[in-house]
Every structure is written in structure tokens, then in C-alpha cells.
Amino acid sequence: MTKLASAAAFFAAVRADLFAGKLETSQVAGLNAILKSAGAHQCPLSWTAYALATAYHETGQSIFPNRENMNYSVEGLMSKYSRSRISAADATLYGRGPSHSANQQKIANVLYGGKFGLEQLGNTQPNDGWHFRGGGMDHCTGRKNYTAVDRALGLGGALVINPDLILDVDIAAGAMVTGMIVGRYTGKSFERCLPNGSLGSLEHFSDARCIINGTDKAATVAVYAGKFQHALSAGGWA
């Protein structure tokens, strides 16, 4: 099993470089869960660094699993999504406005339902959009992906029955790490984007954003990955 030679050195480096000198207990738990999963799958330095950077970015630096916030305003829905995903009428009806709050369940079922939800996410039931909305550290989305995570982690169907289990820190870390290893989300994987036996460069890390989310914030996440790689090196990840 791959692991740190010095956890103290790793945490000292990330605390200084990425967390403004202070780590919350939940952040330590999240980091340890990712390291545990990456180690169990013998992920090399650059892969582990990019997994950590992805979680750091996707969770808003909390490094802890959450569920996707669907609290969209009418304007937010209209600007972010095409009319093929949500109609103007539904955006007005369900989006947050001056006199009413957002109907988050309805929004999720519209955005992740219909033809898009069926073809892209494997959502087949009326409430699948809500039940299988983004969750975990990498915002796994859709019945198809939750089912794949369940199988990869040997959960025996428990995650499909109760999608909120994606909030368990070890399940969330395992979902993200295995997803990036096999290319679950975009078809791109660690092996395709990052070196196995050497350090990753900023260019490598920028290219690796396609594993999760195309090119969105690729340069930002690449910088985070470089800092995590430095910390892993300081901690003797091997």
C-alpha cells in the first residue's frame, strides 16, 4: 500500500501552502480519506496530488463531501442552462424570485431529467434528478454514476438505495479516486493525463482537468495540484 512516510511533514506543508496555517478536523478527515483511498489503489505522486486538488477545488476548500446546491435564481437558471435543459416557464416557476424561494427538488428533476438525464446520467425514475444530484467530493451525478460507484466500492446496492451515503467521507473519497482511475466521468483517466513514475508539471495538471470537468478552472486546479504534490513529496509519498 502506498502511503506517507511522514504525515506530519505533509500536513505542515498543506497547512502552510493551502489552508492559511489552520486545518479544521473535518478537513483533516477529508485529506486522510483521500490519502487512504489513493494509497489502497497505489496511486503515484502526481495522481494523488491531482485527486487532492480536485477535492479541494470542488468542495470549496472544505475537503469534505456535500450535495449539490440547487438554490438557483430565475436569472441563474436562464443564464447557465439552455432552453433544451430548462424552459423559461419552468425557470420562472421553480427558480428563486423576490417573493418565493427556489424549489430545489423540481429544479434538479428538470435539469437532470428528461432526455438529457436518461441518455447522459441513466436517470429513469421521476425523482432521480434530485436523489442522484451532485454529491461527494467530486459531485458524482446521476443514477448511472452512483451505481458505478456502488459497484466499484462493493457497497451491494446501498448507495443506490440511499444516495446520501455519498456524504460519508470514505465513500466520497473512494468514489472520486476510483472514478479518476477508470475515467468514469468523462472517459479520461489519470493514466491518460498524468505521469506515473515522475512529477507532474503544471501543464500535466492543467490537461488533467478533463478527467472531471473539461477545461473549467483548469489553470486554478493545476496550481493547487502543484502545491499538493510538493506536500506529498515533503511527506515521502511512496
Side-chain angles (χ1 to χ4, degrees):
M1 178 174 173
T2 304
K3 61 182 181 180
L4 291 168
S6 174
F10 167 79
F11 280 105
V14 295
R15 190 179 293 112
D17 292 345
L18 289 147
F19 293 95
K22 182 180 180 181
L23 277 166
E24 301 293 337
T25 301
S26 59
Q27 291 171 320
V28 173
L31 291 167
N32 277 328
I34 296 167
L35 293 172
K36 177 183 176 182
S37 183
H41 291 90
Q42 297 184 317
C43 292
L45 193 65
S46 68
W47 297 16
T48 305
Y50 202 75
L52 291 163
T54 295
Y56 181 83
H57 175 71
E58 297 293 343
T59 64
Q61 304 180 12
S62 74
I63 311 288
F64 210 74
N66 56 36
R67 296 303 299 270
E68 184 178 5
N69 184 355
M70 308 303 294
N71 186 27
Y72 285 102
S73 67
V74 175
E75 294 78 11
L77 287 169
M78 292 290 286
S79 63
K80 183 170 183 177
Y81 297 99
S82 69
R83 300 294 70 80
S84 65
R85 293 286 301 281
I86 187 166
S87 68
D90 281 348
T92 302
L93 182 62
Y94 302 134
R96 187 180 71 252
S99 61
H100 61 276
S101 59
N103 188 327
Q104 296 192 45
Q105 184 170 343
K106 289 286 190 180
I107 290 170
N109 285 330
V110 170
L111 292 177
Y112 298 139
K115 183 178 179 181
F116 174 87
L118 179 63
E119 294 181 352
Q120 301 298 319
L121 302 171
N123 287 339
T124 59
Q125 303 302 312
N127 279 318
D128 278 359
W130 174 249
H131 293 317
F132 299 105
R133 69 193 185 280
M137 293 180 176
D138 57 355
H139 278 190
C140 174
T141 305
R143 177 182 284 271
K144 177 177 69 175
N145 286 323
Y146 276 74
T147 300
V149 169
D150 186 278
R151 290 172 179 164
L153 301 185
L155 299 177
L159 183 61
V160 181
I161 294 169
N162 180 13
D164 280 339
L165 287 176
I166 200 68
L167 296 174
D168 177 275
V169 67
D170 288 315
I171 290 175
M176 182 184 68
V177 170
T178 60
M180 297 177 86
I181 290 172
V182 303
R184 181 182 302 130
Y185 302 115
T186 66
K188 306 293 176 59
S189 64
F190 279 143
E191 187 172 25
R192 183 166 177 175
C193 300
L194 293 170
N196 191 324
S198 59
L199 295 179
S201 66
L202 280 177
E203 183 177 358
H204 285 133
F205 290 137
S206 183
D207 289 344
R209 184 62 175 150
C210 66
I211 297 171
I212 294 291
N213 194 8
T215 60
D216 180 61
K217 304 296 183 182
T220 298
V221 183
V223 172
Y224 298 152
K227 292 180 178 180
F228 276 114
Q229 182 172 253
H230 168 76
L232 288 165
S233 295
W237 181 259

